[in-house]
Amino acid sequence: MRRSFVKKSMAELPSSGIRKFFDMASSIRGVISLGVGEPDFVTPWHIREASVYALEKGYTNYTANSGLAELRKEIGRHLLQKYQVEYNYDKEIIVTVGASEAIDLALRSVIDPGDEVIIPEPCFVSYKPCTAMAGGVFKTIPTREGEHFKLMPQDLEKAITPRSKVLLLSYPNNPTGATMTGKELAQIGRIAQQHDLLVIADEIYSELTFNGEHVSFASLPGMQERTILINGFSKSFAMTGWRIGYAAAPADITAAMLKIHQYTVMCAPIMGQMAALEALKNGNGEVKKMADQYDQRRNLIVNGLRQMGLSCFEPNGAFYAFPSIKKTGMSSGEFCEKLLQEEKVAVVPGSTFGRCGEGYIRCSYASSVEQISEALERMDRFMQRHAKAGVTTSSLSASPYPG
Ligand SMILES: Cc1ncc(COP(=O)(O)O)c(C=O)c1O
């Protein structure tokens, strides 16, 4: 018998609730999953072809730690053209293994033990664990359906203490689909400035903004010097498996991030970087086509959920709907387990994304129209059985769903 070698903080760190749920779903046959946060599209062919071609030509080596210069230049061009923010490709941009690595690097580069990271909830599952692993203390702020899940300036003010160092902001949001306008973000920016906070802006869903234009936090007046802008290729270009993301930040911060990156992963894989280069150069048309399809599915799912009697906030970005299931009287975990067992539909409990996500479920609409329609029919049956007495739900016999 040996002792446990795992350090205490790791033993105590919970693993991702989403993964747990997928494991359960994958053991049941005939499940329709609206659980994954991943495009159902295959990476467009010209992007795959660029990578195949790179392999054929023998590009199998390490790249510069911060990534291929050509790719960083292209990222710089993209940010300048889209958001009018200028970054020096050599000193201020780093190519990472997905946005996930960029989040980790950002937090590890700036957090001293005990520094506080303010995180609006519900939020992406990695933010709190990565903060904890960086030695920081997370302070969550609930966002609310009645306020369209936006970060309210007064809530931010209240959460700030002398130990606050970072605000971790993510709009369009996973899991709510909420977005924030430039004006609203500028209010947050002013507070960040007053309290000298760094903002880590995870904008991975920027291209999936359905009403209005995405405003990058770094493009707001005075914000570039206190923003680590994070983005990547997974969601917009359907490139989750390629594992390419990036961070753009002031040179002192990028230099710190680069130290961790060079000692831990060296560089992102060259084949993925080659593909990302092609994506940025020639992939915009496909991004637009995929976004249009998500938009149609968004309408389908939101209308369907509302028709079955669930109140569903209108998501303006990303590819998630976040309906309230409070009227069923079930917890979100209980709802999801029952729905999976009885109707074989996998969705994610809102509580996975923070305490204030309780009472909601996350339904990804990055699935085909047929799959979404079938899932909605199954969910409607489920709601007919489980809607609480006195609460009427409409049947899908008058279904607006195609297929
Ligand atoms: C908000 C958010 N940030 C980051 C990521 C990770 O993206 P990547 O695949 O680039 O690591 C995800 C993935 O679901 C996400 O939802």
Side-chain angles (χ1 to χ4, degrees), residues 273-287:
Q273 292 194 55
M274 290 287 200
L277 182 59
E278 169 64 17
L280 268 188
K281 277 188 162 160
N282 299 310
N284 271 340
E286 258 93 3
V287 172

Side-chain angles (χ1 to χ4, degrees), residues 115-129:
D115 281 345
E116 287 174 4
V117 178
I118 299 175
I119 307 176
E121 277 189 329
C123 68
F124 179 48
V125 290
S126 86
Y127 296 163
K128 289 186 283 179

Side-chain angles (χ1 to χ4, degrees), residues 95-383:
V95 178
T96 56
V97 179
S100 301
E101 195 215 353
I103 295 164
D104 183 42
L105 293 181
L107 288 164
R108 284 206 277 159
S109 302
V110 301
I111 296 297
D112 280 311
D115 281 345
E116 287 174 4
V117 178
I118 299 175
I119 307 176
E121 277 189 329
C123 68
F124 179 48
V125 290
S126 86
Y127 296 163
K128 289 186 283 179
C130 282
T131 300
M133 287 190 285
V137 176
F138 53 79
K139 289 263 276 217
T140 57
I141 304 181
T143 61
R144 305 166 195 95
E145 185 179 358
E147 290 157 349
H148 305 284
F149 293 111
K150 294 172 192 279
L151 172 59
M152 291 289 118
Q154 63 275 21
D155 289 337
L156 174 58
E157 292 269 17
K158 263 191 252 155
I160 294 172
T161 75
R163 289 310 307 257
S164 303
K165 189 169 196 183
V166 175
L167 167 64
L168 210 173
L169 204 59
S170 182
Y171 289 95
N173 182 266
N174 172 11
T176 62
T179 54
M180 283 181 72
T181 64
K183 212 168 148 195
E184 290 159 346
L185 289 171
Q187 274 186 295
I188 300 298
R190 280 193 288 277
I191 300 172
Q193 210 159 27
Q194 274 158 20
H195 296 271
D196 200 14
L197 299 180
L198 171 77
V199 177
I200 299 178
D202 175 357
E203 300 183 4
I204 187 90
Y205 294 100
S206 58
E207 306 304 310
L208 304 177
T209 300
F210 304 111
N211 278 323
E213 287 289 309
H214 174 73
V215 174
S216 178
F217 200 84
S219 71
L220 296 167
M223 287 303 112
Q224 190 174 353
E225 64 166 14
R226 58 177 68 253
T227 301
I228 303 179
L229 169 57
I230 291 175
N231 211 320
F233 296 80
S234 289
K235 314 290 176 172
S236 45
F237 294 97
M239 290 177 65
T240 46
W242 299 82
R243 310 308 304 126
I244 304 292
Y246 60 87
D252 56 335
I253 300 178
T254 325
M257 291 172 72
L258 193 58
K259 283 186 209 164
I260 306 175
H261 177 76
Q262 72 188 176
Y263 291 132
T264 52
V265 306
M266 302 268 272
C267 64
I270 189 168
M271 308 81 179
Q273 292 194 55
M274 290 287 200
L277 182 59
E278 169 64 17
L280 268 188
K281 277 188 162 160
N282 299 310
N284 271 340
E286 258 93 3
V287 172
K288 171 90 183 62
K289 269 193 234 155
M290 289 188 274
D292 285 347
Q293 293 212 29
Y294 289 132
D295 196 13
Q296 285 171 22
R297 299 165 185 191
R298 179 175 77 102
N299 291 324
L300 174 67
I301 199 162
V302 170
N303 290 337
L305 291 166
R306 286 179 181 164
Q307 276 236 335
M308 67 183 77
L310 293 174
S311 110
C312 185
F313 154 80
E314 171 136 11
N316 285 325
F319 39 53
Y320 308 106
F322 201 60
S324 163
I325 48 95
K326 288 177 187 165
K327 69 195 293 183
T328 64
M330 287 183 243
S331 70
S332 59
E334 196 186 348
F335 183 99
C336 293
E337 259 187 72
K338 277 208 165 89
L339 180 63
L340 184 60
Q341 274 152 9
E342 293 180 19
E343 291 292 346
K344 299 188 181 178
V345 175
V347 294
V348 185
S351 54
T352 311
F353 308 97
R355 199 178 296 161
C356 67
E358 183 49 83
Y360 297 85
I361 54 171
R362 189 191 78 174
C363 308
S364 163
Y365 52 86
S367 280
S368 68
V369 165
E370 291 70 30
Q371 292 262 302
I372 295 171
S373 302
E374 172 64 25
L376 285 170
E377 285 189 25
R378 294 183 187 189
M379 288 174 79
D380 185 57
R381 273 202 306 262
F382 182 81
M383 282 303 294

Side-chain angles (χ1 to χ4, degrees), residues 61-134:
N61 47 291
Y62 295 133
T63 68
N65 293 134
S66 52
L68 290 168
E70 263 312 293
L71 176 56
R72 281 178 285 131
K73 279 184 198 167
E74 202 55 43
I75 292 169
R77 265 195 283 272
H78 167 75
L79 294 176
L80 182 61
Q81 192 212 338
K82 189 122 205 211
Y83 305 117
Q84 294 74 54
V85 273
E86 196 165 353
Y87 287 98
N88 177 328
Y89 80 91
D90 210 20
K91 296 194 165 62
E92 298 181 314
I93 293 176
I94 162 171
V95 178
T96 56
V97 179
S100 301
E101 195 215 353
I103 295 164
D104 183 42
L105 293 181
L107 288 164
R108 284 206 277 159
S109 302
V110 301
I111 296 297
D112 280 311
D115 281 345
E116 287 174 4
V117 178
I118 299 175
I119 307 176
E121 277 189 329
C123 68
F124 179 48
V125 290
S126 86
Y127 296 163
K128 289 186 283 179
C130 282
T131 300
M133 287 190 285

